[in-house]
Amino acid sequence: MEDINLHFTGDFNAVEKANNLLSALIDNNIQSKVNNLNIDPRTILWKRVIDMNDRALRDITIGLGGTANGVPREDGFNITPASEVMAILCMATSFDNLKERLGSIFIGFTFDKKPVFARDLKAENAMAILLKDAIKPNLVQTLEENPAIIHGGPFANIAQGTNTVLATKMGLSLSNYVVTEAGFGADLGAEKFLNIKSAFAGLNPKCVVLVATIRALRHHGGAQKEEYNTPSLERVEEGFKNLEKHIGNIRKFNIEPVVAINSFISDSEEEVNLVIEKCQNLGVYAVLSEGWAKGGEGTKELAKAVVDVVENKATQFKPLYDWKSPVKEKIETIAREIYGADGVIYDKKAELNLRRIDRLGFSDFAICMAKTQKSFSDDEKLIGRPTGFKVTVREIEIAAGAQFIIPILGKMMRMPGLPARPASEGMTIDNNGVISGLS
Amino acid sequence: MEDINLHFTGDFNAVEKANNLLSALIDNNIQSKVNNLNIDPRTILWKRVIDMNDRALRDITIGLGGTANGVPREDGFNITPASEVMAILCMATSFDNLKERLGSIFIGFTFDKKPVFARDLKAENAMAILLKDAIKPNLVQTLEENPAIIHGGPFANIAQGTNTVLATKMGLSLSNYVVTEAGFGADLGAEKFLNIKSAFAGLNPKCVVLVATIRALRHHGGAQKEEYNTPSLERVEEGFKNLEKHIGNIRKFNIEPVVAINSFISDSEEEVNLVIEKCQNLGVYAVLSEGWAKGGEGTKELAKAVVDVVENKATQFKPLYDWKSPVKEKIETIAREIYGADGVIYDKKAELNLRRIDRLGFSDFAICMAKTQKSFSDDEKLIGRPTGFKVTVREIEIAAGAQFIIPILGKMMRMPGLPARPASEGMTIDNNGVISGLS
Amino acid sequence: MEDINLHFTGDFNAVEKANNLLSALIDNNIQSKVNNLNIDPRTILWKRVIDMNDRALRDITIGLGGTANGVPREDGFNITPASEVMAILCMATSFDNLKERLGSIFIGFTFDKKPVFARDLKAENAMAILLKDAIKPNLVQTLEENPAIIHGGPFANIAQGTNTVLATKMGLSLSNYVVTEAGFGADLGAEKFLNIKSAFAGLNPKCVVLVATIRALRHHGGAQKEEYNTPSLERVEEGFKNLEKHIGNIRKFNIEPVVAINSFISDSEEEVNLVIEKCQNLGVYAVLSEGWAKGGEGTKELAKAVVDVVENKATQFKPLYDWKSPVKEKIETIAREIYGADGVIYDKKAELNLRRIDRLGFSDFAICMAKTQKSFSDDEKLIGRPTGFKVTVREIEIAAGAQFIIPILGKMMRMPGLPARPASEGMTIDNNGVISGLS
Amino acid sequence: MEDINLHFTGDFNAVEKANNLLSALIDNNIQSKVNNLNIDPRTILWKRVIDMNDRALRDITIGLGGTANGVPREDGFNITPASEVMAILCMATSFDNLKERLGSIFIGFTFDKKPVFARDLKAENAMAILLKDAIKPNLVQTLEENPAIIHGGPFANIAQGTNTVLATKMGLSLSNYVVTEAGFGADLGAEKFLNIKSAFAGLNPKCVVLVATIRALRHHGGAQKEEYNTPSLERVEEGFKNLEKHIGNIRKFNIEPVVAINSFISDSEEEVNLVIEKCQNLGVYAVLSEGWAKGGEGTKELAKAVVDVVENKATQFKPLYDWKSPVKEKIETIAREIYGADGVIYDKKAELNLRRIDRLGFSDFAICMAKTQKSFSDDEKLIGRPTGFKVTVREIEIAAGAQFIIPILGKMMRMPGLPARPASEGMTIDNNGVISGLS
């Protein structure tokens, strides 16, 4: 676990380096008179990334200190999982396609208002070289020695939230069943897995496992933090509305869900049974999943339910929107259908961003929402199944190589900060390399 | 070669992450009210690093954009090999010592003018966790399947220029002869290997191989760039003064040098013989080294010469200065004895830095010069063996964990820039992963 | 004319100095340990001002360069007429009241989130000293030697657009009729003169003179720039809708307007007659005003019309909104009633600003809109009498001493920029001080 | 007194506006595509000014916030008396010459490294228009109704320290005797009055009055702040060395000084007599001056001494250096002859500045030192008559329109800061405009 959370195979680092190489090439081109592309430094949308929660780097001024130090301009760092290079790695269908996409990254404009792409800086090959190993899926094994492929790490709240197309296709070529994680709430991970990755890669998912916990249902039912571990049929009943909305959402894609109740020792039997019963009423399997405690044995029932759905109830997946629809229509579809919002408000800046997307001919891209994972809405305080709300698009980023339009909702940031008491304070490592305090 | 130049085993990345974790913890502490150390953001000397030639990051303003984004302050990035974490990795004698040194990193001051160290932020364990694999030497093998240890990468112009103490000690425990590279001109790499690493780790080097090329001697003899490959006895004769100074320098450490003439196809026999002869006059072996073309076979003669020196001529190494001497005396010793300077000029800022070092009780640290590798002086245009010059100390950095005082000479920068035409432009990689254009 | 446009009596300069003294005191307090108020530099809303069109000062970072140079923070300059000190000068009812208002200026928050006012810095007396002459109305005379009072200079697009309360009251104490200018379109100048100044100072205006030009009516009727001087009944007919809206607006205040047609040599008789006739149909006097060409003689007819309205048709002025109404209701009233908008959109930032206003107890202040003078809407391209539009509030400034809430609409900036070809290029002054090229 | 210290006739404001108009024109030219001069924003040496002690404006970044807000660059404000426009106003010999000098202001370089002047922006006429009244000397009268001309206000520590050439010439045309103030220590004010103003304008001063106080002599004799008002023959005797150096300095210009002892009530007769006696030993008149207490009557003796010197002892003034000498020679002459320094140290930046001055052909300009007024040296703690010190030139500014080279010595800043407890805190003004607390 630690080794995966630490540097692992270096893929994150490779993504970070490829991203930042492009940044250095941009600033170098502005500085240099050789092959100068006449880039207007104030229009550069391409940001540096760092794999660190570092809020102080969100909004910075670079190139200060005189003529030897580049040209002053405003910039900012995103966290590495939010890098378009990560998105490209996840969407690439081949090494050639990787280079093609890297070259298509949109950077900004010249002083003559012409768009500039990474390929104008001849950056795609050097970036691809840095990614030559990262593009290869990583095969690991579980504690029970089952094979697992770990490849790509885009968080679902700020990015597309699921692993690479290559890894999934490799899995499909090797096995009858491939299970893929798409985290951070099905309104984020599943929505993007289906509308972006599956739609693009021609995947035909047969079943969606919705992972629920009694704890989380209590929370969505109104329990305070200190009550999370206290059984309460009432809270679970109220919180079930959240799960019910997710169930309905999956069915909008013409897929049958299975609910996995991720077992905790604080769960009461009554609560678990309540969830199972309410799911049955909706015609959905709900199964207690005890993988954490019992390994494969503990998820047998879940597996059977999934097999049953795939074998006997599978329907033909269809995405919720057509990539070719107008941008606002696509955003509105997600907001209304998946989030249950009454509509979408666009801040001035977002409206200007939309006009630019249109002018650049990027309207056919997929929508990759950046939204809090704590609520269906863009306000993390609205728990359960909120209604009567609108979501606000603050600004819209472009990832032309990944072919994403990224609306930033509410207060979402693509660079997180550390907590007031950072986890690092509690970590120790002894002379034998034994680590404690990683949570 | 490519794999080593690319991400290799991830050590550089681990160093970078550990360095930048400390930065994030500093800015987080300033932002947060929990355990706030009252750090004055304007006094922070600890910089972020990135493994990229990126001049636009030398001088930046961070923490802009409002209260959620930290506190505004001036900052800058160094290149990763210049990180104090790299220096600490290279100087650490054990894992425990690594943590101890990480904790001793000096960060800046509180508003009450008290010094702040990494340990005040409880950062050393989390940093050490990130370095838990990087601290282990990497064993690779040459094309002829000889073992080689690659561990640590501090450039000798901006850092201490040689690999880790642990790697060298591991080598010494495994073999009779250990050969260590210390690059970037013997006035930098060798001086630091001897005065810093050997003095600190109690090493007793028996021989120094000075690697010379006919090309470089022509350059130091006044050849223009387009003449570098044109034989010229006159140039080589004139350029030999540079080599002669290096030979003399090594002897000041009470060590006998051997000169390896790194063979190029553009060398003329007369030039090579001239160098051999002039070395002989100084009582020094000079041997043609043809390792690039012929592998181990091509360096047999060189090896014999080294063995002869070690077996028959070895003397007792002594460092050029005592770490306990006053700071200015140590700097002056290197400048006069190794560079051949007439003296040292301190800019106002450097004088202020010196006063701070004294106040903080850091005067006993080793001197780790940052100086151009292109000249004995701090002006890269003064080739050959310049005399009648002074060097200017612009400012002085502190690396309290590594126990280094780092005077920055002339125009030296600890963050380089890309060339006007970056190498990346000429690189390609095909679909089979074959790379060309790496120079 | 030149002397008034140049430094005049120094009032603008005094306002600027008083404003910037407060800024210097704020930054000095942050820097200094004596009487330190614990101000959070990131929360400071008080901006510096300069009487210059200088867009590069809109958004700046100050306090850079180390501990001697203050504390780094983001700041910006507004143009002097937008200074709250100018607003306070215009609203002050006495010297005592001036000091009181200066002391009530809201600056920002402490780190403990407590509001900070100018009086906390003991700034109000020193600021008042700088304004001791500026507070006195300036008496000048026209070319025909009539007395005129010039006092205060807040532009109506970015500020309250009319002269000081003291000057108007002085005029009223000296004469039966006082004519006051309130420029930049009656949707701005008149609206603010009535809702802010008259409502606050208990003035009872008897008549409003709407100044129209045939040129402007052609423009609002769709004429292109090169057609502005070309007579066109059709354009004037169409453009009259703009004037008709202004006429209706004035009547909403329970005041009768008189239209003054400011005569230009390019006007055709037919056009002038058309306007007169269309006004008559609305029951409004429209009179050709030839003051520019003929002086007092040329405005006799206009004066007679005004006297007739005042003597025979005057009604009891009432403001359009009650200062005590909720903020959004006040803004909406102006937008719907005066601009003819369908509603008001608030950007995220404006919503946050509103919450702050509420929390600080500033909701009872007057609304002082910042909006383009080129359209009833916030989009300068919507000429004539636009309908079916909404206005967007981008952000909301607070002027607690002036008791203003200042919504910034559309792209309005409180610091203008110079034109691409600045007027200064065409100015000359000879050795006798004769100036040409002032336009 | 207050009215002069406050806005007076607006000259300072006019200087400030003219200075900042040029700044706005520069940034506007960088922003605009019309008549774009291709100015490299990183090379601009022209700074904005503000008449405020405002350290937070010393080092700023402007032009942030996107393409509408200009181009990001580093800038800074000086205090208005340090403006080159003030220097030009003081040096101008006619209105024509004023314009000529304004046009000659050096701004920075184009990207092609060509120098840019104010005239390239066609700025000189608009700037001159702003100065059209400021160029006229201001006639005021003393409490005894004697005429006095107040014109120009460049501080002698950071600027040339004396009033305008026009004012002095006007005085000379109206009266037999003209007395001019040149403040801040005779090593600053007098040195510049003589070497810059008199040398340039062909003045032939006949006598220099050195104003001394017993208090200051006690200070230079080692008295602590709390002892300043305590008589001490010993301190005065020791402090006299400072005055003796000033006396010797004046004689180096071939002028006889008269010492005016500015009477304070804390002076003891013995101290006054000691100074008179020691001056007599040097052949110099020393006279008690009681102007503050007794007006003209109190300075009669002083006037007689001056007349005696002028009538009977006057010699032919000669400047200490020739403007045509090399820059370093001129600086060294002042440092050695006037300050008593052993030499001059140039920081790296100053050396680079010197090279630029040479390249631009500005070497023939006068030297206008920026140095603390608290010591003959550049270290304000070295009181009395220090010896055995060197002065450090940190950087060198250029004022090409004024024809000044401005070396910045030690820690001198051309923008001061407010004290920890700003004077404004103690000021009050009542409703009758009576001010107290101005010190």
Side-chain angles (χ1 to χ4, degrees), chain C residues 3 33 67 87 104 132 154 162 175 217 225 235 252 315 339 346 389 420 422:
Chain C
D3 290 323
K33 282 176 185 147
T67 50
S104 299
K132 80 180 178 59
T162 174
S175 172
L217 292 174
K225 203 169 180 184
R235 299 290 194 201
K252 292 184 178 186
T315 49
Y339 306 160
Y346 295 87
F389 66 91

Side-chain angles (χ1 to χ4, degrees), chain D residues 215 218-228 235 383:
Chain D
R215 254 175 78 98
R218 285 180 203 135
H219 161 70
H220 279 294
Q224 297 307 300
K225 203 169 182 185
E226 58 279 11
E227 305 170 318
Y228 284 175
R235 299 290 194 201
I383 52 167

Side-chain angles (χ1 to χ4, degrees), chain B residues 12 81-82 86-87 90 151-164 184:
Chain B
F12 267 57
M86 179 66 88
C90 290
H151 199 214
F155 300 166
N157 52 352
I158 54 174
Q160 85 270 38
T162 174
N163 70 345
T164 66
F184 271 92

Side-chain angles (χ1 to χ4, degrees), chain B residues 12 19 59 68 129 173 191 198-199 258 282 302 340 346 367 388 405:
Chain B
F12 267 57
N19 184 106
D59 192 345
I129 289 172
S173 73
E191 185 270 315
S198 300
V258 167
L282 297 168
L302 175 60
Y346 295 86
I367 303 300
I405 289 164

Side-chain angles (χ1 to χ4, degrees), chain B residues 31 33 42 65 67 70 74 111, chain C residues 31 33 42 65 70 74 111:
Chain B
Q31 170 80 346
K33 282 175 185 150
R42 301 165 301 176
T67 50
E74 294 173 273
F111 277 104
Chain C
Q31 170 80 348
K33 282 176 185 147
R42 300 164 301 176
E74 293 173 273
F111 277 105

Side-chain angles (χ1 to χ4, degrees), chain C residues 107-280:
Chain C
I107 289 166
F109 294 94
T110 66
F111 277 105
D112 309 323
K113 314 237 180 272
K114 296 199 191 103
V116 182
F117 298 90
R119 74 173 69 87
D120 298 323
L121 290 160
K122 297 180 195 154
E124 69 273 30
N125 273 284
M127 292 172 78
I129 289 171
L130 287 164
L131 295 168
K132 80 180 178 59
D133 293 323
I135 191 69
K136 296 174 189 154
N138 307 293
L139 185 66
V140 300
Q141 58 182 18
T142 67
L143 294 178
E144 290 176 339
E145 303 188 356
N146 287 310
I149 297 172
I150 297 183
H151 199 215
F155 300 164
N157 52 352
I158 54 172
Q160 85 270 38
T162 174
N163 69 347
T164 67
V165 167
L166 287 175
T168 300
K169 293 218 163 174
M170 176 184 283
L172 287 168
S173 73
L174 295 170
S175 172
N176 286 338
Y177 278 78
V178 174
V179 179
T180 301
E181 197 213 358
F184 270 91
D187 52 327
L188 291 163
E191 184 271 315
K192 291 168 181 176
F193 179 83
L194 297 169
N195 280 323
I196 299 178
K197 181 174 175 178
S198 300
F200 167 73
L203 303 178
N204 184 13
K206 303 286 190 190
C207 176
V208 164
V209 178
L210 285 168
V211 181
T213 66
I214 299 298
R215 255 175 76 98
L217 292 174
R218 286 180 203 134
H219 161 70
H220 280 294
Q224 297 307 300
K225 203 169 180 184
E226 59 280 9
E227 305 170 319
Y228 284 174
N229 294 324
T230 312
S232 161
L233 273 181
E234 199 184 337
R235 299 290 194 201
V236 172
E237 172 117 41
E238 178 65 21
F240 187 80
K241 291 175 185 166
N242 180 278
L243 182 54
E244 186 174 0
K245 172 69 178 148
H246 283 299
I247 290 169
N249 283 350
I250 298 304
R251 285 174 163 167
K252 292 184 178 186
F253 292 91
N254 217 16
I255 306 182
E256 268 306 298
V258 167
V259 171
I261 305 170
N262 193 4
S263 176
F264 274 61
I265 47 173
S266 59
D267 299 350
S268 76
E269 214 181 311
E270 292 77 13
E271 291 171 312
V272 171
N273 288 339
L274 178 68
V275 173
I276 292 173
E277 187 186 333
K278 291 180 81 74
C279 284
Q280 275 174 343

